[in-house]
Structures are given as C-alpha cells and as structure tokens.
Amino acid sequence: MASTMDALSPEAMLTFYRRLYPFKSVYGWLNHDHMPTRQWTHREFAFTLAGDVYVRYKSYNNADELKADVCKLNPSRFEIGPVYSARPRDKKTVRQLTPLQRELVFDIDMTDYDPIRTCCSEANICKKCWKWISAAVKVLDESVREHYGYEQLLWVYSGRRGIHLWISDPEALDLTDAQRKAVVGWMNVVVASGQNEGMKKVNLRAGTKALPPPLQAALDTLLPYFTSIVLEEQDCFGSEKGYEALLEFIPDVKVADSLRKTWSADPTKPSASKWLDLKAEVKAKDRSQRAPLMHAMEDIILHYTYPRIDAEVSKHRNHLLKAPFCIHPKTGRVCVPVDPRGIDSFDPERVPTIGQLLGELDEGMVVEGEESSPDSDVQRTSLAPYVEMMNKYATSLMDLKRKAKQDPDTLAW
Amino acid sequence: MFKSTERKPFQQQDTAIYQASTSSHLQYPHRLNFYDKPPLFDVTIEEFETCALERLRVLAEIESSAARNRTWEESKTAIRAQAEKHLVLKQNSAKYDDLDGQRRKDHLSHFVLRLAFCRSEDLRRRFVKAESTLFKVRYEDDILTDREAFLNSRNFNTIPVLPDEKKKYESQLYSLYYGKNETERKAAFEREKYFKVKWTRVPDLVEKRRVFLNRGWAYVPSQEQSSIIFGEYENQLEKALELTARLLPRLDEDTRLIPILNNLSQGFIAGSSSEWMGENGEGTCGEEIRAEMIDDMSKRHFPMCMKTLHDRLQRDNHLKHFGRLQYGLFLKVLGLSIEEAVAFWRKSFSRITDDKFNKEYRYNIRHSYGLEGKRANYPAKNCLQIMAPGSGEYGCPYKTYNPDNLQSALLSTYSHQGLKAADLPDIMQLVNANSFHTACTRVFEITHSSCGVKKGDGVNGEHVTHPNQYAAHSRELYKATKGAAESEDVAMGP
Ligand SMILES: [Zn+2]
C-alpha cells in the first residue's frame, strides 16, 4: 500500500500520524506526569495545513485528543508553543492569555554557517558540514549543564540541516523572557549582521583581556574541530576570499601584510599550512606584541567553530518550534531525538524517512488475530529506537517530578 | 488599604512597618524604600490624589527620558530635576529637612500609583520600569553610609562565598574581575567578597558574561551587588502589582477613589501628554488667561479641531454636549480658571437666560473641573481619542472633512498666519496617506514659520499628539519671539 503512494502525499502523512507518530511519548515529555496537568492542557499547538494555512492556539485535554485532531486536519507539520495562563483554545473568551512556561529552546541551523562552509550551500548538507553541528552540540550541551546546572536536555534533529535543543528542568521552564535573553547573550559569540555581510564577531572579551572562563572552556572543546573541519576538510582559508577573511582578524598590520604577500603567490596553499605560517609569524614576535596576536588566533578559532545560535528562537516564551517526530516537508525525514554523546557518529542521511517507514510497515505482516496498534507498528520499523529514547526520557522527567513532590526541598535551592 | 477619612494624627503604633534602626529616631530611617509594607496611616482624599500626581510627573520624566534615548547620565539629571520639584527626598545628613514627611509622601504616592497601574499587563510593565529607574537613580545618588545602612537592614538571601570556595574558583573569578592595573586588581581581588545567588536573579550580569556561573549559581562580587538589589526590587514590585490587581475589586466600594485612579492611569497612558492633564500643568505658560482672551488665542494658537469648535460656538452661540465637554476640557488644561470658564461659557451661550445657564450648564462646567460629582480630574482628550471612530462631528478635521472642505477650511482658518494655497498639496498628501497627525504637525510648522519654525521641526521636535501640546507650544513660541516686541509696543504707546 505505502509503496504505491507518494512519500509526502496527504495519505502517507495520515498513515504516519495514525500508525507511527508517538503521541503518548510526546505527551509524557511535555506533561511530566501521567495525568494531564496545565503543562499539557494549557499548552499551545499550531498546525501548518495544506496551502500554507497556519492555525494557532490549539490545545487539548489529553494525548488522544491531540491525535484525533492531527488525524482530522492532517497538518504537514505541527509546532509546540508555551504553557499559557489559560487554555489557548479559549483565547477568544478569556481575559488574558499570558505565556507562563516554556522549555528553554535553542535552534542551530546550517544556514548560519553558509559564509564559512565550502562543501555545500543553502539547503544542502553533507557529513562534512554536519561536523559543525556536532561541535555546536558538544559546546552547548556542556555549557548548559556546567554553567546553568540544567540536566533535562532533549536534542532533536530538525529533519534537514539543523538541530534543536529542548531543556525541561522546572527552573528552565519558568524562565522569563528577560532571563532567556540573558542566556542567549551569554551563549552568543557569533551573530549574523545582515544578510549579505556574512558574520561578525562580537562580545568575545573585555578589551585586551583573556577570554572569559566559559569561552576558554569552549575553546578547548573546539580546538580539534577547528583542525579537522576548518583547516582540513573545509579548507576555509584555501582561497583568496577565505584567507582575506582570516586576515581581518589580525590586529598587527605588518603581520597581515607579510602573510598576504606569501599567500597571494600561492592562494590555494592548504589552510593547515597557512595556519602554520600564522603561528610562525606570531612566534617570531616578542612577548608584548605576541599577546594580541594570540588573542586574535583564539578569536579566529571561536569564530569558525563556536555554535551559531538563532537567538530569536530562544528569547521569547511564545516562540513556536516544530514538534519532535514531525516529518520535514522537503526531505521526508523524521525529526528524531539525538543522543549528544553519540553526536559525532550521527549521520543525518541515515535518519528514517516517511517513505522508508511506511515501506517497513508494509513488509512486516501483522500476525493473524493480532490487533495492529501504534506500539506494535512502531516496533516493526526503524523508528523504534528513537521512540524508545523519547519514552525513556519522558519517564525520567516523570520520576523527577514525583520525587520533587515527595521531597519539595530537593529542588528548592 | 487606604481610608479616606479626615486627617488624623500620624499613628505611632505603625512604627513596626518601617525598617528597624537602632541609631535613628526617624520613622523612616532610610531614604531608600523597597515598599514592602503598605502605608497604614490615614490620608485625606486630596493628599491621596495630589501626592500621586506629583510622583506621576517624575515617572513621566523617566518615560520621556527613555523615549528620547537619553544617556544614563542625561536621564539622571532630568529625573533629579523633576524630583527636586515634585518629590524631594533628602539624605539623612539633611538634618533640618522634614525627612519623615518627605519619606511618608514617597511611601504613600508609590502605593497610590500601584493601585492605579496594576490593572493591565502593559501598565504594570511600564510602572515597574519607571519605578525601578527611579530606585536606581536614588540608589546611585545615595551617600555610601546611608546606602550601607539600608542594605544591612534587609536580607537579600545571598550566600557568602567562603574563602575555600573562592580559592577553588580563583582563576575563573579573577579573570572576570574588573580593576585598573594588574597590581591594583590583584590586591582588590584579594579583598573582594563574593556572594552566590541563583543566576536568574542577575540576568543583566549573565548576559554580559560578567559573573562566573557554576551549575546555576552566579558568583557576584560585592562591587556588582547593585544588580542583585535592582533585580530584587523589580521582582518584588512585579509580584506585588499582580497581587494588588487581584485584590483591587474590593476597592470598588469606595466610589471616590475609582475615578481618581482611572484618571491617574489615563494620564500615564497618554504618555507625553501626561504633562497636559492638570490645571497647574506646564501647559499653562504661567500667566492667567481671561475669558475675553480666548477668541484671540484661538486664532493664533489653536489646532484645527479646537478652532473649529470655537468658531462653531461663536457662530451658533451653542455647542452640543460632547463638543462642550471636549472644548471645555481643552480650555481647562490650557489654563482657564473655573471662574473664567464660567464667564466664557456664559458669554458664549448668549441666547439663553441666566436661570437656564445656572441650572443646566454651571454644574457641568464645575464638574469638568472636578468640583462636583465624582470630583475627578478629567484630562483633556488627546489626538488618539479625538480621532477614534464615533467622534463624529467633534472628530479630527483632517480625518473627517472631505478633501475640498478641508482645503477651504485650512485656507480660511490659517491664511492670516501665512498658510498659502501652494502649501495645500503637501498637506493633502499627508492626509491622503492617513497621516493626520503629520498633516496637523505640518500646518503647525507653516503657521509658526514667523517664529522661526522650519519644516521638520515639529512641535518642539515631536508630532502633534494632543491639542493642548499644540496650543501650549504655540504660546511659548509667541512669547519667546514676539513677546518682547509686543511689550515694547505697549511701552511706546500713548
Ligand atoms: Zn556539506
């Protein structure tokens, strides 16, 4: 059946929602409880329907209601918003609908790396450029845990060329917009400055001082990535345009001129060799002149490897973000959860597509007398390990909530 | 919370509500106040309103400083000047001042405005922002010893970082430590005390990476302590306002307070026009306006909407209810006293008898001055209200007139002030773009070119947002440029 229909047709989407989409797992993850709480009932869902119709302020009493509505409207995707002061679906009748809670979210997208990546452009992505995402996941995951003390992190592949992070610690859910903005300010090193100007570095250090501790720690994590991605695979400085961008970071005009002279004679000289040239120039300087150049080298490493975060997504509680397990409308891939510890071996091209999953459903025959249920359906497809991961995580959130209820002091710090 | 009975002696048993102080004999030992406790003394309704109005002027200055993008130093200067006029609050060293009296007024006015501004999310947000700014200005201006005494009187729930822990994170803490040169910095760092707070209490320091973060805790050096204090102040005020909003319905039983509170919040909503809401406002230009001056003034200083009402009143010797209300409040804010207002309307309504006037109109005029009925201090309508749908024949002429009528009305009204037919296309283009404010502003510029106003100058650099703003600035300009010449003429006359 599935093999005969177009992978992204409405029929295929409907089959996916009816038989495979893990509504119960998503419910557990958002609700932190078996019984529906405000975290579920007052939660906004938004649907993208055929013809780019966008429906907001939907909310449900339980997971089954969501499933019924999704199957009825068959959206091409749906998004998750904040927990409001009232049920979003009562928007017209309630006096106020204020966003109260929301997972702290981060969005990293390959587009923001376009000015520096050389392997692909625009919507395309390959294993080489995905490494930047790997580096970003490592740094962000570590920082969120070490600096902010958050532990309930869910990483979700966005289905094409990016990744989302959802943080569900109770303290993170309660953050105000101002506090979210502060986290983003702390995290952001590289910010976009207009469409065609590429990227501009900001806010790295105070004056001529050493890097602040969080960036120093990130630098250690990022150094191997800089060598393998920037210097080797992407060969970011292997063209005139590429090395000119590098030279912009050099504060010492003499050093920059000398390097430019050498490199213009051999513009495609490999980036790794050019980096050695720079190192040699820096070493030749006496101590007082060396410091600013060393700083510049650190700045370059951060500029080319530090996570590029889409700040607007994180700053506001009422920003909507695509739900996990949705199908990416262009690639047909499922937005699956990702284990950050295995991020280096994660291959976006091996993420199951809707066509593949429906094919798998067709092949596995339902045993005579056995009812087909979403649980058993999922088990017969390559979606199973991802749903299993989500279930485990949702269970840990519920455990945490139960413990907090029994012993309220453990969280009250 | 407030009893609006007659003034009673200050209740001594209420001392418990103030911060305890061993050395001070004052009811309010500190100039700074977190306003934890409501004022539990009795106040008169006049005091209730006037002290709130005065605080409002200071808050309006704060908002306008932000709107004008002033630097922090410029803002402080402007805010201090306004506070010096309306909300004096001296340091403890000012022994001969009535410190308790000043602080009592500060305390009371803050709480009255809480009642007025707790009722919508937007008002709450603006109020918190303005009040926090006021607190910051006072905090920074406070003498060090006074400030320390205040800080010691409160528990900010900060956890001191013990020497062992400071040692453990020395490299991280030191790399974020700000100081002049390396030796000084090292010595100062050795002396520095650190506090631990949840990072969410100091988002501004986090955003700028100025604190060391460790598993959700921010390590704040005492030199950055003010961030904790300001954060705490905002936080408490936000919560208190939400609580007040929920409790407010109980206040409805006191019908005298509601109109006052409505009026206060309306003045704040009007933003820049909050300056134009009181009889003693700055819009009055100082000198007394008499009934017989109105006709002349209308020719020189009034915007189209008010000029139209004035002309209609003179032509028909009558104005219907809403027209009277609108024009009457405009004249009140312009500075017409109640006696002169009664005289003006009596003269204008020349076709009716004294008896009818006294019965039907005198009361309404006094009412609009807050002397009858609800005794509310009604503000004059601003442009937004005048332009609102349903204003009908009393709406903004730029919006309601058809293009032909508007052009001939403009010429007949303003040609004696220099408006020419050649100016019309420019104005009509703005009207056609539904930019009625701007059209009115343009007319102001044209008709005040003899005072040196040029295209783009606006009304003191702003668009017209209120007919009283238009008229007041027009009068100021005339006074500044023509006043001298006119008085000379008088002196030289026979
Ligand atoms: Zn690529």
Side-chain angles (χ1 to χ4, degrees):
Chain A
M1 176 188 92
S3 51
T4 59
M5 55 193 193
D6 178 6
L8 284 164
S9 67
E11 295 78 20
M13 289 301 296
L14 188 58
T15 310
F16 172 75
Y17 287 134
R18 272 158 78 178
R19 298 184 60 186
L20 295 174
Y21 190 94
F23 288 99
K24 283 229 163 63
S25 322
V26 169
Y27 165 84
W29 163 61
L30 291 175
N31 190 49
H32 298 212
D33 211 326
H34 292 289
M35 296 303 289
T37 66
R38 284 174 163 235
Q39 249 167 268
W40 177 265
T41 59
H42 290 29
R43 172 83 70 166
E44 176 181 4
F45 291 87
F47 289 12
T48 307
L49 305 178
D52 268 342
V53 177
Y54 194 57
V55 190
R56 284 196 59 184
Y57 301 110
K58 290 187 150 288
S59 62
Y60 304 95
N61 289 318
N62 50 49
D64 290 341
E65 263 192 16
L66 171 64
K67 179 171 181 175
D69 206 27
V70 167
C71 291
K72 191 177 115 203
L73 296 172
N74 197 16
S76 59
R77 61 175 192 177
F78 60 95
E79 297 181 311
I80 298 170
V83 178
Y84 285 92
S85 52
R87 288 167 198 265
R89 64 180 178 195
D90 299 337
K91 186 176 194 288
K92 292 213 172 91
T93 52
V94 295
R95 207 161 51 94
Q96 265 189 1
L97 196 64
T98 322
L100 298 180
Q101 287 184 310
R102 170 59 197 264
E103 288 76 12
L104 175 59
V105 293
F106 289 96
D107 178 11
I108 303 167
D109 194 284
M110 211 62 234
T111 337
D112 292 328
Y113 292 79
D114 276 347
I116 56 171
R117 63 176 175 163
T118 59
C119 56
C120 316
S121 62
E122 292 170 7
N124 299 314
I125 184 161
C126 67
K127 271 195 85 167
K128 279 189 198 168
C129 46
W130 179 261
K131 277 197 178 175
W132 262 306
I133 304 284
S134 302
V137 168
K138 284 247 170 83
V139 169
L140 209 56
D141 196 79
E142 194 174 84
S143 178
V144 163
R145 292 175 201 272
E146 284 298 312
H147 304 135
Y148 292 89
Y150 298 138
E151 285 166 355
Q152 310 309 320
L153 277 59
L154 179 72
W155 288 94
V156 181
Y157 174 52
S158 73
R160 185 153 66 172
R161 51 177 174 177
I163 202 158
H164 299 156
L165 169 60
W166 299 75
I167 304 171
S168 297
D169 294 72
E171 298 86 355
L173 286 169
D174 286 338
L175 293 178
T176 63
D177 285 2
Q179 289 162 341
R180 282 164 210 260
K181 183 168 157 276
V183 183
V184 171
W186 160 286
M187 289 285 181
N188 246 353
V189 169
V190 188
V191 292
S193 60
Q195 292 236 297
N196 298 315
E197 290 169 67
M199 294 293 194
K200 216 174 183 178
K201 67 187 167 75
V202 286
N203 192 24
L204 280 180
R205 57 184 90 232
T208 56
K209 285 179 52 189
L211 280 180
L215 292 182
Q216 190 62 54
L219 196 64
D220 297 340
T221 310
L222 290 169
L223 205 55
Y225 284 100
F226 180 73
T227 308
S228 74
I229 307 175
V230 178
L231 297 184
E232 289 165 14
E233 290 172 7
Q234 299 281 344
D235 195 16
C236 287
F237 315 129
S239 66
E240 192 191 336
K241 193 178 158 232
Y243 73 67
E244 280 299 333
L246 169 74
L247 291 175
E248 272 179 33
F249 285 83
I250 308 298
D252 188 318
V253 186
K254 275 186 193 157
V255 172
D257 282 347
S258 154
L259 289 171
R260 186 176 287 114
K261 213 173 150 196
T262 318
W263 296 345
S264 59
D266 181 9
T268 56
K269 186 177 183 180
S271 297
S273 309
K274 288 190 179 124
W275 189 249
L276 286 178
D277 292 342
L278 170 60
K279 269 188 176 169
E281 288 276 351
V282 176
K283 264 189 197 147
K285 293 279 167 186
D286 58 44
R287 277 190 65 176
S288 64
Q289 287 172 304
R290 207 183 291 162
L293 286 165
M294 299 282 282
H295 287 165
M297 287 175 77
E298 291 174 348
D299 291 357
I300 293 165
I301 297 170
L302 289 171
H303 179 79
Y304 281 90
T305 54
Y306 191 87
R308 299 186 168 196
I309 297 161
D310 184 343
E312 292 312 310
V313 175
S314 310
K315 278 185 193 166
H316 306 286
R317 275 170 291 193
N318 58 4
H319 195 98
L320 294 143
L321 195 63
K322 191 164 49 161
F325 294 103
C326 277
I327 302 291
H328 192 285
K330 292 273 158 36
T331 63
R333 293 190 195 282
V334 185
C335 305
V336 292
V338 179
D339 183 349
R341 288 164 302 182
I343 189 69
D344 282 337
S345 54
F346 180 84
D347 181 356
E349 290 182 23
R350 284 169 53 199
V351 168
T353 63
I354 179 169
Q356 178 194 339
L357 292 173
L358 298 189
E360 288 166 359
L361 262 189
D362 265 359
E363 279 163 30
M365 296 295 288
V366 180
V367 182
E368 197 75 29
E370 190 184 302
E371 195 82 3
S372 160
S373 74
D375 282 349
S376 66
D377 279 345
V378 165
Q379 288 311 313
R380 290 184 284 120
T381 68
S382 40
L383 195 61
Y386 299 106
V387 174
E388 173 62 23
M389 202 168 135
M390 187 67 155
N391 283 340
K392 258 195 188 149
Y393 177 55
T395 309
S396 74
L397 287 176
M398 292 186 197
D399 287 347
L400 204 74
K401 185 177 176 189
R402 206 175 44 244
K403 273 184 208 145
K405 255 192 217 160
Q406 286 160 357
D407 184 7
D409 283 342
T410 53
L411 281 172
W413 49 279
Chain B
M1 195 179 316
F2 296 101
K3 292 195 203 114
S4 42
T5 54
E6 289 308 297
R7 192 190 299 267
K8 278 184 193 162
F10 196 73
Q11 293 174 350
Q12 296 299 316
Q13 68 267 30
D14 288 333
T15 48
I17 70 167
Y18 308 113
Q19 308 302 335
S21 167
T22 47
S23 59
S24 176
H25 57 281
L26 293 169
Q27 302 282 357
Y28 294 84
H30 308 295
R31 177 170 169 266
L32 294 170
N33 193 337
F34 253 61
Y35 311 105
D36 307 289
K37 298 282 162 57
L40 295 175
F41 40 81
D42 294 333
V43 296
T44 63
I45 202 135
E46 284 74 23
E47 197 182 2
F48 181 91
E49 183 170 17
T50 53
C51 79
L53 276 169
E54 294 202 80
R55 190 182 193 91
L56 199 54
R57 288 179 190 282
V58 180
L59 297 191
E61 185 65 45
I62 291 172
E63 282 216 319
S64 114
S65 285
R68 281 159 213 241
N69 248 333
R70 288 185 181 140
T71 66
W72 178 233
E73 286 310 316
E74 289 165 356
S75 303
K76 277 208 291 194
T77 310
I79 295 162
R80 271 191 215 116
Q82 227 18 35
E84 202 53 47
K85 273 190 258 171
H86 302 292
L87 198 62
V88 179
L89 199 61
K90 293 281 191 201
Q91 312 274 357
N92 279 351
S93 53
K95 289 196 177 66
Y96 302 105
D97 273 63
D98 175 15
L99 295 178
D100 269 333
Q102 292 169 0
R103 292 170 191 188
R104 180 180 179 273
K105 181 178 163 189
D106 175 60
H107 188 198
L108 175 64
S109 60
H110 171 88
F111 271 90
V112 176
L113 292 188
R114 271 196 193 182
L115 292 175
F117 298 134
C118 68
R119 282 174 288 178
S120 82
E121 203 183 326
D122 181 52
L123 279 176
R124 288 198 291 268
R125 187 180 50 73
R126 287 171 58 183
F127 183 64
V128 168
K129 204 168 159 215
E131 280 284 336
S132 318
T133 308
L134 180 60
F135 184 84
K136 268 183 215 174
V137 173
R138 288 170 172 178
Y139 183 94
E140 288 186 9
D141 286 350
D142 223 7
I143 292 168
L144 205 59
T145 48
D146 284 11
R147 189 203 292 170
E148 297 257 297
F150 168 74
L151 294 179
N152 288 334
S153 74
R154 297 185 59 84
N155 181 5
F156 287 98
N157 290 314
T158 52
I159 303 173
V161 173
L162 300 174
D164 280 356
E165 203 177 358
K166 184 177 169 187
K167 192 113 202 102
K168 186 175 167 192
Y169 297 117
E170 184 167 329
S171 69
Q172 289 98 322
L173 293 174
Y174 183 62
S175 71
L176 287 172
Y177 194 73
Y178 290 77
K180 286 172 198 132
N181 64 57
E182 198 71 4
T183 354
E184 261 180 50
R185 213 174 124 213
K186 274 218 163 76
F189 176 72
E190 287 305 319
R191 288 193 304 270
E192 185 63 278
K193 285 195 186 79
Y194 280 84
F195 302 95
K196 268 200 290 195
V197 289
K198 272 179 81 171
W199 79 263
T200 46
R201 289 179 56 186
V202 286
D204 55 328
L205 296 181
V206 170
E207 187 167 3
K208 295 184 202 119
R209 293 203 201 95
R210 286 175 69 164
V211 279
F212 168 55
L213 281 192
N214 184 27
R215 302 203 64 78
W217 293 96
Y219 288 61
V220 184
S222 52
Q223 63 174 2
E224 303 268 25
Q225 193 187 15
S226 54
S227 270
I228 302 179
I229 318 288
F230 300 155
E232 186 74 7
Y233 181 85
E234 279 190 39
N235 213 340
Q236 267 191 229
L237 184 53
E238 270 165 31
K239 284 194 186 134
L241 283 176
E242 278 166 29
L243 189 71
T244 313
R246 265 180 273 149
L247 297 175
L248 195 69
R250 291 191 203 165
L251 238 159
D252 285 351
E253 58 205 46
D254 197 332
T255 49
R256 285 167 302 176
L257 296 188
I258 297 301
I260 295 179
L261 295 175
N262 285 339
N263 183 34
L264 286 169
S265 57
Q266 239 173 29
F268 201 52
I269 290 169
S272 59
S273 47
S274 54
E275 288 166 35
W276 317 112
M277 69 191 178
E279 301 101 299
N280 307 316
E282 275 111 316
T284 57
C285 252
E287 59 190 274
E288 210 212 344
I289 300 174
R290 289 192 315 278
E292 55 273 26
M293 293 159 71
I294 301 288
D295 198 50
D296 256 4
M297 284 177 72
S298 78
K299 294 194 176 82
R300 277 184 188 172
H301 304 304
F302 288 10
M304 235 344 217
C305 51
M306 294 303 153
K307 181 72 168 66
T308 309
L309 287 174
H310 179 81
D311 291 350
R312 196 180 297 172
L313 174 64
Q314 301 313 314
R315 186 190 67 203
D316 301 337
N317 300 118
H318 194 260
L319 261 186
K320 282 190 216 148
H321 178 74
F322 288 106
R324 280 199 311 271
L325 190 65
Q326 196 162 317
Y327 191 42
L329 289 171
F330 167 79
L331 292 176
K332 177 184 88 167
V333 175
L334 190 70
L336 198 64
S337 69
I338 176 67
E339 289 78 13
E340 293 300 315
V342 171
F344 171 75
W345 289 102
R346 181 68 201 97
K347 235 176 88 197
S348 301
F349 285 6
S350 54
R351 288 184 301 174
I352 59 170
T353 62
D354 273 337
D355 194 37
K356 188 174 163 68
F357 181 82
N358 286 338
K359 256 195 222 149
E360 290 186 36
Y361 300 108
R362 186 184 290 271
Y363 178 89
N364 287 333
I365 297 165
R366 288 177 56 81
H367 184 257
S368 73
Y369 273 75
L371 297 170
E372 302 283 1
K374 288 193 285 186
R375 301 171 60 95
N377 183 15
Y378 296 102
K381 286 194 176 173
N382 61 33
C383 294
L384 270 181
Q385 292 165 313
I386 294 170
M387 277 194 270
S391 303
E393 54 182 313
Y394 308 111
C396 171
Y398 294 95
K399 187 179 174 188
T400 55
Y401 282 24
N402 75 39
D404 285 345
N405 290 349
L406 178 58
Q407 297 189 54
S408 52
L410 279 167
L411 281 176
S412 69
T413 311
Y414 291 117
S415 56
H416 74 277
Q417 278 187 291
L419 187 131
K420 296 183 204 65
D423 294 315
L424 291 176
D426 199 13
I427 299 164
M428 293 312 291
Q429 198 186 345
L430 295 165
V431 171
N432 291 333
N434 285 340
S435 193
F436 311 113
H437 282 112
T438 333
C440 185
T441 309
R442 186 74 197 104
V443 168
F444 181 94
E445 288 164 351
I446 295 167
T447 53
H448 292 78
S449 58
S450 62
C451 303
V453 176
K454 287 183 289 294
K455 186 171 180 176
D457 284 355
V459 182
N460 214 3
E462 290 168 38
H463 280 307
V464 177
T465 56
H466 197 297
N468 282 108
Q469 163 214 22
Y470 185 115
H473 192 57
S474 175
R475 292 185 66 209
E476 270 168 35
L477 281 173
Y478 268 79
K479 216 169 136 191
T481 53
K482 312 260 162 101
E486 273 173 17
S487 54
E488 259 183 54
D489 284 347
V490 174
M492 285 157 68

